[in-house]
Amino acid sequence: MPRGDAAPSSRPAAVLPNIVLVGMPGSGKSAVGEKVAAWLGWPLLDTDEMVVRRAGRSIAEIFERDGEAEFRRVERAAVRETARAQRAVIATGGGVVLDPANMAALRRRGLIVALTAGPDVLLARLGADGGGRPLLAPDPRARVQTLLAERAPQYAEAALILDAARPADQLAREILAAVAARASDTVIVDLGARSYPVRIGTGILDLLGWEVRQQLPATQAVVLTHPRLRRRFGGRVAGVLRAAGLEPVVVTVPEGERAKSLRTASAVYDQMAAAGVDRRAVVVGLGGGVIGDLAGYVAGTYMRGLALVHVPTTLLAQVDSAIGGKAAVNHPRAKNLVGVFHQPALVLVDVETLKTLPPREVRAGLAEVIKYGMVGDADLLAFTEEKLDGLLRRDLEVLRHCVRWCASIKARIVHSDEREEGPRRLLNYGHTVGHAVEIASAGTLTHGEAIAIGMSVEVRIAQRLNLVSAEVVRRQGTVLQRAGLPTMILAGAPSDEVMMEAMRLDKKTRDGEMRFTLLRDAGQGVIDQPVPEPVVREVLRACRASS
Ligand SMILES: NC(=O)c1ccc[n+]([C@@H]2O[C@H](COP(=O)([O-])OP(=O)(O)OC[C@H]3O[C@@H](n4cnc5c(N)ncnc54)[C@H](O)[C@@H]3O)[C@@H](O)[C@H]2O)c1
């Protein structure tokens, strides 16, 4: 079993930083800024323009009537205002760097990017007369050289220094690549030619268009989501996709497990066909595991397969279901009965989306986190026990660390067994009983709650078979309960017989024999354990809340 990545993230939890462009006049700050802002769907704030607005006069007039000192005073106020913005590209006047207070304010929320160039490049762009800039008069070449010498040390302190001689488009791409690399941790799901990155960060939803473009040549994006999530994130997602040249078609389906059906899939195909979606499209699943499974199924089947991108917005989907390419819809006879393996080209996890996730859904996601710990990573289990309060409070940095850890476990398992012929079955711990409980609950339990009950039954089966100690049973029960998850089959659940029947139909039953993923210890799962039916019945009986 692979080990999780236990090292805490060195980056602070923050939304994406503002992008602050500094550089000499003629370095292309506005042109580059416009392109970066367009990719991200952010405004471009230009401090020179703000000075003009505030003063009600052109910069040349301010210099002429009031002198440079007055210009710098108004500029400082403009800088202070822009520095307070969030999710903005800021193009600064060339001299802004000279005031340390300016730079400190801009740095607080921003990534400073210097565009540097020599006098020849700058003057070629500005024109021999310096473009009428008062600071460059009367001898633009001599002034450019003096100002460059004066400002070079400040430009050298930027977080990113780029040679401005290149085209604005290329510079914008380099800035976006640098921002993306700084803002996200990347876990690669290594599947040879079908490998893909899982990007994990805070506030990185704005990078979706950019990230999709790095992976795919698509021209259209079908965003599959729920109406509630469309209201919350749909405009932003559609905007960044459009900015990246992907015409968005937003398709919504109702919430809940019932949406994972052939009927809903068919309704989605209808809308895609009506919108003229063809093989150049990418399907973007924006939502939890239900959306992810449906998006994967639709993408895997429409026109024999479209590209797929997951943007998971529940903890459960971020730590588990968005990674690995399993996609299925339910059938009246069994959960996930009809499905495909269809790997995404990209998974973009913005943990900031979890801020609006209802507490019950946070707890549901924790069931899968605890499952990872129980079957394969005692360190992750200990981390979850220690940081449970932070996870429940939705501390974004703790969540991000947890998601990255789980994603790296899942990536390694999927790498070793893409089609669930061996080690990937470890992840089915809790799911044989859990799926039966989930179906029987007819939508009253979340998937995670059902898995928590499933793990609680299955750990007792393992104990009954002398695989694990009472201490392991207790430890798992304690952490599940602390996470606010159920550990007993709830009163009113269907009979053992109904659940046994559901388990027989589960894909984990082979050759008519019930096989379970069980535990040997906390952190050590074991697959394919045959369990006699009478043992399953006996433990089911013992795990009923009323017993
Ligand atoms: N394919 C796999 O490998 C895999 C693995 C595990 C689970 N699953 C499947 O995942 C499904 C469960 O997924 P789930 O637990 O994410 O449930 P879900 O997709 O139903 O989402 C739960 C609820 O949270 C809402 N929601 C989602 N994101 C939100 C946000 N950011 N803010 C506010 N509300 C938000 C949704 O609208 C929904 O009502 C099950 O169908 C299960 O079978 C699949």
Side-chain angles (χ1 to χ4, degrees):
M1 177 75 196
R3 301 263 316 202
D5 169 10
S9 172
S10 56
R11 295 190 194 92
V15 294
L16 228 45
N18 292 331
I19 296 167
V20 180
L21 297 167
V22 300
M24 288 285 287
S27 59
K29 290 169 301 215
S30 302
V32 173
E34 252 167 44
K35 291 191 185 295
V36 173
W39 273 105
L40 295 169
W42 289 2
L44 172 64
L45 309 177
D46 185 313
T47 58
D48 276 352
E49 278 175 18
M50 289 170 76
V51 168
V52 171
R53 257 204 317 277
R54 276 171 176 259
R57 279 174 280 155
S58 72
I59 292 176
E61 283 167 352
I62 303 172
F63 266 80
E64 203 176 314
R65 281 177 39 185
D66 309 310
E68 183 175 352
E70 173 60 9
F71 171 77
R72 295 290 171 211
R73 191 191 65 74
V74 184
E75 185 182 57
R76 249 192 318 276
V79 166
R80 224 157 293 144
E81 187 185 329
T82 56
R84 279 196 295 272
Q86 253 182 355
R87 299 172 66 224
V89 179
I90 301 170
T92 62
V96 158
V97 289
L98 294 173
D99 183 340
N102 279 342
M103 295 315 290
L106 289 165
R107 220 173 260 125
R108 220 163 286 138
R109 287 186 175 174
L111 180 80
I112 311 291
V113 180
L115 303 180
T116 61
D120 291 343
V121 172
L122 298 173
L123 287 166
R125 287 183 185 162
L126 293 169
D129 66 347
R133 285 172 172 75
L135 263 184
L136 300 186
D139 177 353
R141 177 163 289 273
R143 286 294 292 151
V144 161
Q145 273 160 346
T146 309
L147 294 178
L148 261 178
E150 205 175 286
R151 296 172 184 179
Q154 275 74 34
Y155 296 146
E157 280 178 19
L160 189 62
I161 300 168
L162 298 175
D163 176 359
R166 286 156 312 141
D169 194 49
Q170 191 183 336
L171 291 167
R173 286 168 186 278
E174 284 179 29
I175 292 169
L176 285 157
V179 168
R182 280 158 194 261
S184 27
D185 300 312
T186 299
V187 172
I188 299 289
V189 182
D190 178 4
L191 293 170
R194 292 172 301 116
S195 298
Y196 55 92
V198 181
R199 302 249 193 260
I200 303 155
T202 315
I204 61 171
L205 204 53
D206 294 333
L207 287 165
L208 178 64
W210 164 258
E211 292 285 6
V212 172
R213 265 277 162 265
Q214 302 314 295
Q215 307 299 327
L216 295 166
T219 54
Q220 201 176 28
V222 179
V223 180
L224 188 65
T225 192
H226 297 309
R228 181 209 307 246
L229 300 178
R230 178 184 197 162
R231 284 193 296 278
R232 212 153 269 170
F233 309 114
R236 197 166 149 200
V237 164
V240 290
L241 290 171
R242 191 174 291 116
L246 290 144
E247 203 38 47
V249 177
V250 182
V251 177
T252 58
V253 298
E255 297 192 8
E257 186 70 20
R258 283 179 63 184
K260 254 177 66 172
S261 67
L262 285 166
R263 181 198 284 241
T264 314
S266 181
V268 176
Y269 298 143
D270 284 346
Q271 292 191 55
M272 288 167 67
V277 172
D278 63 25
R279 300 206 58 185
R280 290 167 297 178
V282 53
V283 175
V284 178
L286 173 69
V290 163
I291 285 292
D293 277 8
L294 188 64
Y297 181 75
V298 165
T301 50
Y302 185 86
M303 291 192 172
R304 295 193 188 85
L306 302 183
L308 172 67
V309 166
H310 283 306
V311 183
T313 63
T314 63
L315 181 59
L316 183 137
Q318 295 187 352
V319 297
D320 189 357
S321 62
I323 304 164
K326 267 168 64 170
V329 293
N330 301 326
H331 183 274
R333 303 275 323 256
K335 188 174 154 67
N336 295 339
L337 194 64
V338 184
V340 291
F341 281 95
H342 189 61
Q343 297 291 348
L346 164 74
V347 180
L348 186 132
V349 178
D350 186 347
V351 291
E352 202 192 11
T353 59
L354 300 179
K355 269 180 165 168
T356 57
L357 191 66
R360 188 178 177 194
E361 300 298 342
V362 176
R363 294 196 290 270
L366 288 174
E368 298 282 10
V369 175
I370 293 166
K371 176 197 76 179
Y372 278 119
M374 291 306 297
V375 296
D377 195 328
D379 290 343
L380 173 61
L381 181 63
F383 167 85
T384 310
E385 288 166 331
E386 191 194 327
K387 301 287 184 190
L388 198 55
D389 293 341
L391 291 163
L392 286 164
R393 271 204 311 278
R394 279 171 289 177
D395 175 321
L396 292 185
E397 190 55 15
V398 178
L399 282 167
R400 176 172 167 172
H401 185 54
C402 176
V403 169
R404 193 182 54 177
W405 196 333
C406 294
S408 67
I409 294 176
K410 180 111 187 220
R412 279 179 258 182
I413 290 184
V414 171
H415 164 68
S416 66
D417 176 22
E418 183 184 0
R419 296 184 80 88
E420 205 174 292
E421 285 150 358
R424 189 165 175 179
R425 291 199 203 118
L426 272 178
L427 302 182
N428 290 335
Y429 176 55
H431 283 60
T432 306
V433 173
H435 279 173
V437 169
E438 188 177 0
I439 294 171
S441 85
T444 57
L445 289 176
T446 62
H447 178 74
E449 287 165 349
I451 296 315
I453 294 171
M455 285 195 280
S456 304
V457 173
E458 292 178 15
V459 78
R460 285 191 180 85
I461 292 176
Q463 185 187 22
R464 173 72 177 65
L465 299 178
N466 291 323
L467 285 168
V468 290
S469 65
E471 167 54 20
V472 173
V473 179
R474 188 203 57 76
R475 186 173 175 191
Q476 180 186 280
T478 303
V479 68
L480 287 172
Q481 277 165 7
R482 280 184 58 216
L485 288 159
T487 54
M488 300 293 268
I489 300 170
L490 305 177
S495 68
D496 293 349
E497 212 36 67
V498 171
M499 291 222 264
M500 293 297 290
E501 184 54 27
M503 278 185 248
R504 278 189 213 103
L505 263 174
D506 195 271
K507 295 178 295 306
K508 286 130 211 137
T509 301
R510 281 200 293 148
D511 308 325
E513 191 177 49
M514 302 195 79
R515 282 167 182 266
F516 285 77
T517 295
L518 296 175
L519 301 180
R520 280 219 178 90
D521 199 353
Q524 201 189 346
V526 52
I527 62 171
D528 285 341
Q529 294 298 295
V531 182
E533 281 203 17
V535 171
V536 181
R537 284 175 202 281
E538 178 193 320
V539 177
L540 278 179
R541 260 197 311 280
C543 289
R544 286 195 176 263
S546 54
S547 61

